[in-house]
Amino acid sequence: ARGGARGRRTGGRRTGGPGEHPVSGGASAFLLSAWVASGFGGEAGTASVPVVADHLTALPVVRWAVRLPGQAPEVATPTEPGAPVVDGDRIFLGYSGANALLVLSRTDGELVGQLEARAPVASAPVIVGAHVIFCDAAGYTASWTQRNGAWVREWEHYSGAPIVSSPTVVDGVVYLANVDELIYALDAATGELRWRYQHPLDLARGGSLELFGAPQPEVRDDKVYAGFSDGFLVALSRDNGAEQWTSVVGEGTYPDIISPPIPLEDGAVLVAGYSKPLLHLDPRTRAASWRLEFGAAAAPYVSASTVYHPGSDGSLRKIDPRTGALAWTWDSGSSGPLLTPSVTDQGVLVASTDSTIYLIDPDSGVELWHLDPGPRLTGFGSAPAVSGDDIYALSNGGMLYALRGRAAPAAPEAPPWVGKP
């Protein structure tokens, strides 16, 4: 299943450790680009709830495509969940064929640096000012910076189990989740542990198989929201990690919460199990204001008036966040889960784990464009990064595509004799 390769529980925990590379073995999680404000001291947030349209001014065309360096593992269903992050003239991204975070030139995709890791990097890094914070599939989190033109590792922390989701950095604290149901907080400047929360997995709610993954923690006000493989949503104290409340969300064959829970401006939490449902949850009562019978493997796009929901069933849906009313449904034609959409001036950009990248009309739900990279297409494991008029997307085959919006050519001027006798 593209929704996350299934890993067998062993005594209530997933297998895997610092010597193993579960992501290299084909395990998949659906990650989000994490983008934060400069400096460790100020308020920062992730890009899982974008509210401003990107500046894609025309239908995209491929500008260049490069195969990433390194040797990806030979597996039946390869996946590359390390979402690209653009910073100035550089692209940072993880790749299953390298135990490092790759640094590429935005101009042509040339490799210009590598930040060493203990295992492949299976999620998007977070950039905070001059610092790059990222996690790897061995369970380590590290902070790097440049000094005198050279990359230097500032600190490293080991969590005890693989990490396949991005960190969340807020007010100088790094919040993380690993695949052993552990949520914890580190000091962003030193890497020192501030607190940890070990979720008591309810084995009665799952079978011997579960999805390999753990969603990125989301922070709002004084709480940290985290989802778990038994379908539980938990709100923790941002100060000390103490449990504030829990709610059972996930249902169906895979109740796992893989998509990050999204705290909304109205105080509610938008959360989905992998199989189902999608809930608009009131945190005061833990009751759903509305409910829809489909799930997600990646975070939705959310604004005050619209939710674009990437279904684990391969359909994109436009939803009113206040009522749950469905405006339209677009079917990708594939059962592969969709990834987090981006809203651009040209339409809603969304990628499929089984097929390609699409641009959808936001008013009608009609497909406007799709990427046709040829017969070797293997789908995408992470959402494309949109930066201005540029798009960067990493395929599951290890190809990094750079696309750029290109305006339609101007109509040629008519010769001076046209229309004359």
Side-chain angles (χ1 to χ4, degrees):
R2 289 283 191 183
R6 301 163 189 151
R8 184 170 296 276
R9 287 196 184 105
T10 305
R13 303 291 178 88
R14 295 176 179 83
T15 57
E20 300 177 356
H21 296 176
V23 171
S24 297
S28 172
F30 295 92
L31 296 314
L32 315 173
S33 296
W35 193 255
V36 297
S38 297
F40 282 138
E43 178 76 17
T46 67
S48 54
V49 192
V51 294
V52 179
D54 292 298
H55 301 295
L56 188 63
T57 57
L59 298 182
V61 294
V62 176
R63 186 160 60 95
W64 50 258
V66 297
R67 185 169 297 281
L68 295 184
Q71 183 61 47
E74 294 291 335
V75 294
T77 55
T79 185
E80 296 294 343
V85 170
V86 179
D87 179 45
D89 60 355
R90 301 172 297 185
I91 305 167
F92 295 84
L93 81 164
Y95 173 53
S96 64
N99 290 350
L101 182 72
L102 304 182
V103 187
L104 307 174
S105 167
R106 188 171 170 179
T107 302
D108 54 11
E110 179 184 359
L111 182 68
V112 296
Q114 298 188 63
L115 311 187
E116 179 185 352
R118 304 296 187 106
V121 176
S123 61
V126 170
I127 300 175
V128 188
H131 311 274
V132 181
I133 301 175
F134 63 93
C135 309
D136 65 33
Y140 288 84
T141 302
S143 177
W144 288 68
T145 192
Q146 277 191 305
R147 294 175 186 159
N148 301 320
W151 285 103
V152 178
R153 184 164 54 203
E154 301 173 292
W155 55 259
E156 184 181 63
H157 177 273
Y158 178 55
S159 75
I163 305 171
V164 292
S165 61
S166 295
T168 298
V169 183
V170 180
D171 285 346
V173 180
V174 185
Y175 301 90
L176 302 116
N178 72 17
V179 301
D180 264 357
E181 321 295 338
L182 178 68
I183 307 296
Y184 57 104
L186 305 177
D187 186 290
T190 65
E192 294 180 358
L193 181 68
R194 290 200 173 187
W195 56 257
R196 67 196 302 274
Y197 168 82
Q198 181 68 61
H199 176 62
L201 194 67
D202 185 353
L203 295 180
R205 288 186 48 79
S208 60
L209 295 177
E210 64 184 18
L211 301 180
F212 188 94
Q216 178 180 8
E218 293 289 338
V219 176
R220 174 61 62 88
D221 299 327
D222 62 346
K223 291 184 176 60
V224 178
Y225 296 91
F228 298 94
S229 64
D230 55 2
F232 275 76
L233 173 68
V234 178
L236 305 173
S237 166
R238 183 170 154 185
D239 291 333
N240 56 24
E243 185 179 296
Q244 304 298 294
W245 54 261
T246 66
S247 181
V248 179
V249 173
E251 300 175 9
T253 304
Y254 294 102
D256 312 52
I257 297 179
I258 296 295
S259 167
I262 305 299
L264 304 178
E265 291 294 336
D266 62 4
V269 181
L270 195 66
V271 59
Y274 178 85
S275 293
K276 66 175 184 179
L278 173 65
L279 299 182
H280 182 274
L281 197 67
D282 185 335
R284 296 166 298 179
T285 64
R286 262 78 83 198
S289 306
W290 53 260
R291 168 190 174 115
L292 296 171
E293 298 302 318
F294 40 77
Y301 172 99
V302 179
S303 71
S305 60
T306 304
V307 171
Y308 292 106
H309 182 267
S312 56
D313 59 357
S315 291
L316 180 69
R317 297 170 173 93
K318 182 178 181 179
I319 302 166
D320 186 324
R322 296 157 295 192
T323 65
L326 192 62
W328 51 253
T329 299
W330 172 79
D331 187 352
S332 68
S334 168
S335 61
L338 299 183
L339 300 161
T340 299
S342 294
V343 173
T344 77
D345 293 339
Q346 288 292 302
V348 184
L349 190 77
V350 66
S352 166
T353 57
D354 274 358
S355 51
T356 187
I357 303 171
Y358 302 89
L359 197 63
I360 309 302
D361 182 84
D363 297 321
S364 65
V366 172
E367 180 183 322
L368 302 172
W369 167 92
H370 69 268
L371 173 66
D372 185 9
R376 299 181 65 117
L377 181 66
T378 52
F380 293 83
S382 63
V386 183
S387 178
D389 217 30
D390 292 321
I391 301 169
Y392 301 94
L394 176 60
S395 80
N396 287 328
M399 291 290 294
L400 178 64
Y401 292 90
L403 301 98
R404 175 168 291 171
R406 184 178 67 183
E413 293 185 6
W417 61 82
V418 171
K420 296 182 179 180

